[in-house]
Amino acid sequence: MWTDERVELLKKLWNDGLSASQIAVELGGITRNAVIGKVHRLGLSGRAKSPAAAVPRARKPRAAAPVLRVARPAMRGNTALARAPVYEVEYEQEVEAVANVVPMGQRCTLLELGEGKCRWPVGDPGSTDFFFCGGRTSEGLPYCGYHARIAYQPVDRRRDKRLGRI
């Protein structure tokens, strides 16, 4: 496929500044990629500029339309491992789960749980004195206000509690 004559013609056309596609057409029967591969193997890196490429093209004048710039985030690249910002959060009051003091009339069993009753379990499920809170639930939550504050703590607060900072 690559005879000595074709290689010499390739070198001449390459040095004359023809593109790989133009050389492929001129040689016939080979692809642009075959020309690029052979040029690479021959080490023909530098070449003369084609006459059309010697003179830079005139640019079209830009329209006077306003340019909308979008703010970029301060961090670039893969942000999956980036550290999250730390926010200082002040809590209105400390929620401590002292003894679960649930009035006797409010307590209910699993069979008595219904819509609008707090599902917070109290005690050991294996014991006879196990019950659910049964208080009135907060809107859209399965627990009363007191137990919802215990169940749904902010992440920072849980971490601080786990690390012994609170």
Side-chain angles (χ1 to χ4, degrees):
M1 183 143 185
W2 285 105
T3 62
D4 290 339
E5 296 84 30
R6 287 172 66 98
V7 171
E8 290 304 318
L9 183 56
L10 168 69
K11 288 179 182 179
K12 178 192 172 301
L13 295 173
W14 184 259
N15 288 328
D16 288 345
L18 271 66
S19 69
S21 298
Q22 293 168 331
I23 295 172
V25 169
E26 188 75 29
L27 292 173
I30 59 172
T31 65
R32 168 185 167 274
N33 286 336
V35 171
I36 293 171
K38 190 63 173 179
V39 165
H40 179 70
R41 287 189 298 278
L42 292 172
L44 303 175
S45 59
R47 61 191 223 168
K49 298 275 187 187
S50 65
V55 179
R57 289 189 300 159
R59 290 189 166 198
K60 293 180 183 177
R62 285 189 173 180
V67 178
L68 176 64
R69 300 210 182 253
V70 178
R72 292 185 178 182
M75 181 173 288
R76 290 186 174 189
N78 185 358
T79 59
L81 301 176
R83 295 187 59 107
V86 178
Y87 299 104
E88 293 294 322
V89 178
E90 292 183 26
Y91 299 100
E92 293 177 14
Q93 68 183 64
E94 286 296 315
V95 177
E96 290 186 33
V98 283
N100 281 325
V101 180
V102 179
M104 291 298 289
Q106 182 176 307
R107 298 176 183 190
C108 62
T109 65
L110 180 62
L111 298 175
E112 296 170 335
L113 274 180
E115 195 67 32
K117 287 192 173 185
C118 178
R119 291 170 169 75
W120 188 266
V122 179
D124 178 21
S127 69
T128 57
D129 59 344
F130 176 76
F131 61 92
F132 292 92
C133 171
R136 200 182 62 173
T137 60
S138 299
E139 187 66 34
L141 295 176
Y143 306 119
C144 64
Y146 175 77
H147 290 125
R149 285 192 301 272
I150 296 171
Y152 302 112
Q153 293 181 6
V155 176
D156 290 341
R157 186 153 184 231
R158 282 188 305 218
R159 184 186 61 230
D160 291 347
K161 194 177 255 184
R162 187 181 72 236
L163 297 175
R165 296 180 190 162
I166 294 180

